[in-house]
Amino acid sequence: MPRVFFVTGSSAGLGQALVKEILDNGDYVIATARKPEVLIFEKATSTNFIAVQLDLLDSKSVLTAYLTGVAKFGRIDVVVNNGGYGLSGPFEDLTDEDIKRQMNVNFTGALVSTRTAIKVMREQNPPGGIIQQITSIGGRIGMPWMCMYSASKFALEGFTEAVAQEMDPKRGIKFTCLEPGGFRTDFFPDRWYTLMLHLRQESQRGDPPKGAKALYHLATLEDPPKRAVLGSDAYEWLNEHMMAEHEDLLRNKSLARSTDVDD
Protein backbone atom coordinates (compact mmCIF):
# COMPACT_ATOMS: atom_id res chain seq x y z
CA MET A 1 0.00 0.00 0.00
CA PRO A 2 1.58 3.32 -1.03
CA ARG A 3 2.32 5.85 1.70
CA VAL A 4 0.79 9.31 1.40
CA PHE A 5 3.16 12.22 2.03
CA PHE A 6 2.24 15.86 2.69
CA VAL A 7 5.22 18.12 1.90
CA THR A 8 5.41 21.87 2.49
CA GLY A 9 7.89 23.98 0.55
CA SER A 10 7.88 21.65 -2.47
CA SER A 11 8.92 24.13 -5.15
CA ALA A 12 12.70 24.06 -4.61
CA GLY A 13 15.63 22.58 -2.72
CA LEU A 14 15.12 19.62 -0.38
CA GLY A 15 11.34 19.78 -0.70
CA GLN A 16 11.45 19.51 -4.47
CA ALA A 17 14.00 16.69 -4.33
CA LEU A 18 11.89 14.86 -1.75
CA VAL A 19 8.73 14.97 -3.89
CA LYS A 20 10.73 13.42 -6.74
CA GLU A 21 12.10 10.73 -4.39
CA ILE A 22 8.61 9.91 -3.11
CA LEU A 23 7.26 9.47 -6.63
CA ASP A 24 10.32 7.43 -7.68
CA ASN A 25 9.52 5.02 -4.83
CA GLY A 26 5.91 4.54 -5.91
CA ASP A 27 4.30 6.50 -3.09
CA TYR A 28 1.75 9.32 -3.25
CA VAL A 29 2.36 12.97 -2.47
CA ILE A 30 0.44 16.12 -1.64
CA ALA A 31 2.95 18.77 -2.75
CA THR A 32 2.32 22.29 -1.48
CA ALA A 33 3.62 25.73 -2.36
CA ARG A 34 2.41 29.30 -2.47
CA LYS A 35 2.31 28.93 -6.26
CA PRO A 36 1.28 25.31 -6.92
CA GLU A 37 1.35 25.83 -10.69
CA VAL A 38 5.16 25.60 -10.57
CA LEU A 39 5.04 22.09 -9.10
CA ILE A 40 5.78 19.95 -12.14
CA PHE A 41 7.29 16.47 -11.75
CA GLU A 42 8.05 13.90 -14.43
CA LYS A 43 6.43 10.94 -12.67
CA ALA A 44 3.41 12.82 -11.34
CA THR A 45 0.01 11.49 -12.41
CA SER A 46 -3.57 12.10 -11.37
CA THR A 47 -3.29 8.93 -9.27
CA ASN A 48 -0.14 9.63 -7.24
CA PHE A 49 0.12 13.43 -7.05
CA ILE A 50 -1.75 16.59 -6.23
CA ALA A 51 -0.37 20.14 -6.13
CA VAL A 52 -2.01 22.34 -3.51
CA GLN A 53 -1.72 26.03 -2.66
CA LEU A 54 -0.47 26.70 0.87
CA ASP A 55 0.56 29.88 2.66
CA LEU A 56 2.14 29.19 6.05
CA LEU A 57 1.12 32.67 7.21
CA ASP A 58 -2.57 31.81 6.72
CA SER A 59 -4.04 29.14 9.04
CA LYS A 60 -7.11 28.77 6.79
CA SER A 61 -4.84 28.04 3.85
CA VAL A 62 -3.07 25.34 5.88
CA LEU A 63 -6.36 23.68 6.87
CA THR A 64 -7.66 23.81 3.30
CA ALA A 65 -4.47 22.19 2.00
CA TYR A 66 -4.80 19.28 4.42
CA LEU A 67 -8.49 18.80 3.69
CA THR A 68 -7.78 18.81 -0.03
CA GLY A 69 -5.10 16.17 0.41
CA VAL A 70 -7.31 13.93 2.56
CA ALA A 71 -10.16 14.29 0.09
CA LYS A 72 -7.82 13.11 -2.67
CA PHE A 73 -6.07 10.18 -0.95
CA GLY A 74 -8.17 9.39 2.13
CA ARG A 75 -5.32 9.69 4.65
CA ILE A 76 -1.86 11.17 5.29
CA ASP A 77 0.97 8.95 6.54
CA VAL A 78 3.92 11.35 6.57
CA VAL A 79 3.98 15.12 7.00
CA VAL A 80 7.19 16.95 6.12
CA ASN A 81 7.23 20.51 7.46
CA ASN A 82 9.88 21.82 5.13
CA GLY A 83 8.56 25.28 4.24
CA GLY A 84 10.59 28.24 5.44
CA TYR A 85 13.40 30.62 4.63
CA GLY A 86 16.66 31.94 6.12
CA LEU A 87 16.90 35.55 7.26
CA SER A 88 20.49 36.77 7.53
CA GLY A 89 22.14 39.92 8.83
CA PRO A 90 23.32 41.42 12.13
CA PHE A 91 20.60 41.49 14.77
CA GLU A 92 20.83 45.26 15.15
CA ASP A 93 20.05 45.71 11.44
CA LEU A 94 16.85 43.65 11.49
CA THR A 95 13.50 45.42 11.50
CA ASP A 96 10.51 44.44 13.61
CA GLU A 97 8.85 43.18 10.43
CA ASP A 98 11.91 41.08 9.54
CA ILE A 99 11.82 39.40 12.94
CA LYS A 100 8.07 38.85 12.95
CA ARG A 101 8.01 37.30 9.49
CA GLN A 102 10.92 34.95 10.22
CA MET A 103 9.24 33.60 13.35
CA ASN A 104 5.80 33.42 11.74
CA VAL A 105 6.94 31.44 8.70
CA ASN A 106 9.54 29.12 10.25
CA PHE A 107 7.96 28.59 13.67
CA THR A 108 4.28 29.57 13.85
CA GLY A 109 3.56 28.23 10.36
CA ALA A 110 5.10 24.88 11.27
CA LEU A 111 3.05 24.82 14.49
CA VAL A 112 -0.21 25.38 12.61
CA SER A 113 0.72 22.65 10.13
CA THR A 114 1.67 20.28 12.97
CA ARG A 115 -1.57 20.89 14.84
CA THR A 116 -3.58 20.10 11.72
CA ALA A 117 -1.45 17.03 10.97
CA ILE A 118 -2.02 15.65 14.48
CA LYS A 119 -5.79 16.03 14.09
CA VAL A 120 -5.78 14.27 10.71
CA MET A 121 -3.53 11.43 11.92
CA ARG A 122 -5.49 10.95 15.13
CA GLU A 123 -8.84 10.64 13.35
CA GLN A 124 -7.89 8.53 10.33
CA ASN A 125 -8.30 4.75 10.32
CA PRO A 126 -5.93 3.28 11.26
CA PRO A 127 -4.56 6.26 13.19
CA GLY A 128 -0.93 7.30 13.21
CA GLY A 129 1.84 8.70 11.09
CA ILE A 130 5.18 10.46 11.13
CA ILE A 131 5.70 14.22 11.32
CA GLN A 132 9.13 15.34 10.12
CA GLN A 133 10.21 18.83 11.14
CA ILE A 134 12.94 20.17 8.86
CA THR A 135 14.80 22.37 11.32
CA SER A 136 18.54 23.01 10.83
CA ILE A 137 21.88 22.57 12.47
CA GLY A 138 21.13 26.22 13.26
CA GLY A 139 18.38 24.88 15.51
CA ARG A 140 20.98 23.20 17.72
CA ILE A 141 23.86 25.69 17.42
CA GLY A 142 23.31 29.46 17.40
CA MET A 143 24.55 30.94 14.12
CA PRO A 144 26.07 34.44 14.02
CA TRP A 145 24.39 36.78 11.52
CA MET A 146 21.41 34.42 11.45
CA CYS A 147 20.18 34.90 15.00
CA MET A 148 16.47 34.98 14.18
CA TYR A 149 16.75 32.00 11.87
CA SER A 150 18.40 30.09 14.71
CA ALA A 151 15.75 31.37 17.14
CA SER A 152 12.95 30.07 14.92
CA LYS A 153 14.57 26.67 14.55
CA PHE A 154 15.51 26.37 18.25
CA ALA A 155 11.87 27.12 19.03
CA LEU A 156 10.63 24.45 16.62
CA GLU A 157 13.01 21.88 18.13
CA GLY A 158 11.83 22.62 21.68
CA PHE A 159 8.18 22.58 20.68
CA THR A 160 8.54 19.26 18.89
CA GLU A 161 10.41 17.60 21.74
CA ALA A 162 7.67 18.65 24.14
CA VAL A 163 4.60 17.90 22.03
CA ALA A 164 5.93 14.47 21.05
CA GLN A 165 5.69 13.51 24.72
CA GLU A 166 2.04 14.58 24.82
CA MET A 167 1.03 12.02 22.20
CA ASP A 168 -0.92 8.94 23.26
CA PRO A 169 1.25 5.99 22.12
CA LYS A 170 -1.91 4.19 21.01
CA ARG A 171 -2.38 6.84 18.32
CA GLY A 172 0.97 6.04 16.72
CA ILE A 173 1.98 9.63 15.91
CA LYS A 174 5.76 10.02 15.87
CA PHE A 175 8.08 12.98 15.35
CA THR A 176 11.57 13.49 13.94
CA CYS A 177 13.54 16.73 13.80
CA LEU A 178 15.84 16.73 10.77
CA GLU A 179 18.82 19.06 11.07
CA PRO A 180 20.50 19.78 7.72
CA GLY A 181 23.84 21.51 7.37
CA GLY A 182 24.67 23.42 4.20
CA PHE A 183 22.87 22.06 1.14
CA ARG A 184 23.33 23.25 -2.43
CA THR A 185 20.04 25.06 -2.81
CA ASP A 186 18.99 28.70 -3.14
CA PHE A 187 17.50 28.65 0.37
CA PHE A 188 19.95 31.13 1.85
CA PRO A 189 21.07 34.50 0.52
CA ASP A 190 24.69 35.17 -0.48
CA ARG A 191 25.66 36.01 3.08
CA TRP A 192 25.08 32.34 3.97
CA TYR A 193 28.26 31.44 2.09
CA THR A 194 30.22 34.00 4.10
CA LEU A 195 28.87 32.50 7.32
CA MET A 196 29.80 28.97 6.34
CA LEU A 197 33.32 30.06 5.37
CA HIS A 198 33.62 31.81 8.71
CA LEU A 199 32.69 28.61 10.56
CA ARG A 200 34.67 25.95 8.67
CA GLN A 201 36.21 27.39 5.51
CA GLU A 202 33.89 25.20 3.51
CA SER A 203 30.26 25.44 2.53
CA GLN A 204 27.30 23.54 1.20
CA ARG A 205 28.53 19.96 1.19
CA GLY A 206 24.96 18.66 1.07
CA ASP A 207 23.47 17.21 -2.12
CA PRO A 208 19.65 17.72 -2.20
CA PRO A 209 18.82 14.38 -3.91
CA LYS A 210 20.91 12.50 -1.33
CA GLY A 211 19.25 14.50 1.45
CA ALA A 212 15.87 13.55 0.03
CA LYS A 213 16.81 9.87 0.08
CA ALA A 214 17.72 10.22 3.77
CA LEU A 215 14.40 11.94 4.55
CA TYR A 216 12.48 9.24 2.70
CA HIS A 217 14.37 6.45 4.48
CA LEU A 218 13.64 7.95 7.91
CA ALA A 219 9.96 8.25 6.99
CA THR A 220 9.77 4.52 6.34
CA LEU A 221 11.14 3.44 9.73
CA GLU A 222 8.79 1.87 12.26
CA ASP A 223 10.68 3.61 15.07
CA PRO A 224 12.19 6.80 13.63
CA PRO A 225 14.76 8.78 15.63
CA LYS A 226 13.76 11.88 17.56
CA ARG A 227 16.54 13.83 15.86
CA ALA A 228 18.88 13.27 12.93
CA VAL A 229 21.52 15.51 11.39
CA LEU A 230 21.98 15.65 7.62
CA GLY A 231 25.43 16.37 6.25
CA SER A 232 28.97 15.72 7.43
CA ASP A 233 29.36 19.42 8.22
CA ALA A 234 26.34 19.35 10.54
CA TYR A 235 27.54 16.13 12.18
CA GLU A 236 31.02 17.55 12.86
CA TRP A 237 29.75 20.88 14.22
CA LEU A 238 27.19 19.24 16.48
CA ASN A 239 29.66 16.66 17.76
CA GLU A 240 32.14 19.38 18.74
CA HIS A 241 29.38 21.54 20.20
CA MET A 242 27.95 18.73 22.34
CA MET A 243 31.39 17.75 23.65
CA ALA A 244 32.05 21.34 24.69
CA GLU A 245 28.62 21.60 26.33
CA HIS A 246 29.21 18.38 28.26
CA GLU A 247 32.54 19.70 29.54
CA ASP A 248 30.77 22.85 30.74
CA LEU A 249 28.07 20.77 32.43
CA LEU A 250 30.63 18.71 34.36
CA ARG A 251 32.68 21.78 35.23
CA ASN A 252 29.64 23.38 36.87
CA LYS A 253 28.27 20.27 38.56
CA SER A 254 28.90 21.49 42.10
CA LEU A 255 27.44 24.93 41.34
CA ALA A 256 24.26 23.36 39.93
CA ARG A 257 23.78 21.20 43.02
CA SER A 258 24.58 24.05 45.43
CA THR A 259 21.20 25.69 44.75
CA ASP A 260 19.06 22.83 46.14
CA VAL A 261 17.04 23.31 49.32
CA ASP A 262 18.84 21.96 52.42
CA ASP A 263 17.25 18.78 53.81
Side-chain angles (χ1 to χ4, degrees), residues 186-245:
D186 59 0
F187 181 76
F188 287 102
D190 290 342
R191 277 176 290 185
W192 170 246
Y193 307 126
T194 302
L195 169 61
M196 300 301 283
L197 289 169
H198 170 77
L199 291 173
R200 283 294 182 277
Q201 295 300 308
E202 56 195 343
S203 65
Q204 292 189 307
R205 296 188 203 174
D207 178 29
K210 290 182 179 180
K213 287 183 181 298
L215 293 176
Y216 181 84
H217 169 71
L218 291 168
T220 66
L221 298 179
E222 184 176 341
D223 187 22
K226 294 178 180 178
R227 287 186 170 92
V229 295
L230 298 179
S232 56
D233 53 357
Y235 178 87
E236 290 161 9
W237 298 339
L238 185 58
N239 186 48
E240 292 179 11
H241 182 75
M242 292 178 70
M243 289 175 65
E245 281 200 329

Side-chain angles (χ1 to χ4, degrees), residues 87 91 94 99 102-103 106 146-153:
L87 173 67
F91 174 64
L94 304 180
I99 293 169
Q102 179 74 115
M103 295 302 294
N106 287 9
M146 301 198 69
C147 59
M148 293 313 304
Y149 176 75
S150 281
S152 69
K153 296 300 188 178

Side-chain angles (χ1 to χ4, degrees), residues 20-173:
K20 183 178 183 301
E21 181 70 17
I22 293 165
L23 295 174
D24 285 347
N25 280 278
D27 285 329
Y28 298 166
V29 60
I30 304 150
T32 74
R34 284 182 296 174
K35 297 180 179 180
E37 63 271 15
V38 306
L39 301 177
I40 300 173
F41 296 89
E42 182 180 355
K43 293 188 178 180
T45 69
S46 59
T47 299
N48 64 14
F49 177 86
I50 184 172
V52 181
Q53 195 278 336
L54 184 146
D55 181 354
L56 289 172
L57 295 177
D58 182 351
S59 60
K60 291 183 179 179
S61 170
V62 175
L63 177 60
T64 298
Y66 273 91
L67 293 177
T68 301
V70 172
K72 170 72 174 179
F73 296 117
R75 64 180 292 112
I76 296 174
D77 300 296
V78 183
V79 168
V80 185
N81 283 320
N82 172 70
Y85 74 102
L87 173 67
S88 66
F91 174 64
E92 293 175 273
D93 291 350
L94 304 180
T95 67
D96 290 349
E97 185 57 35
D98 288 334
I99 293 169
K100 181 179 179 181
R101 180 173 176 78
Q102 179 74 115
M103 295 302 294
N104 281 347
V105 173
N106 287 9
F107 178 55
T108 307
L111 262 61
V112 172
S113 177
T114 299
R115 180 173 59 194
T116 310
I118 290 171
K119 180 176 175 59
V120 168
M121 291 177 172
R122 186 177 64 239
E123 295 180 353
Q124 61 193 11
N125 186 27
I130 294 174
I131 299 174
Q132 293 185 336
Q133 311 284 34
I134 308 302
T135 64
S136 168
I137 191 60
R140 298 290 294 279
I141 303 171
M143 297 290 190
W145 307 304
M146 301 198 69
C147 59
M148 293 313 304
Y149 176 75
S150 281
S152 69
K153 296 300 188 178
F154 265 74
L156 185 56
E157 290 257 352
F159 159 78
T160 302
E161 183 174 319
V163 79
Q165 297 175 69
E166 298 178 9
M167 296 295 102
D168 182 346
K170 295 179 182 178
R171 297 294 185 180
I173 301 173

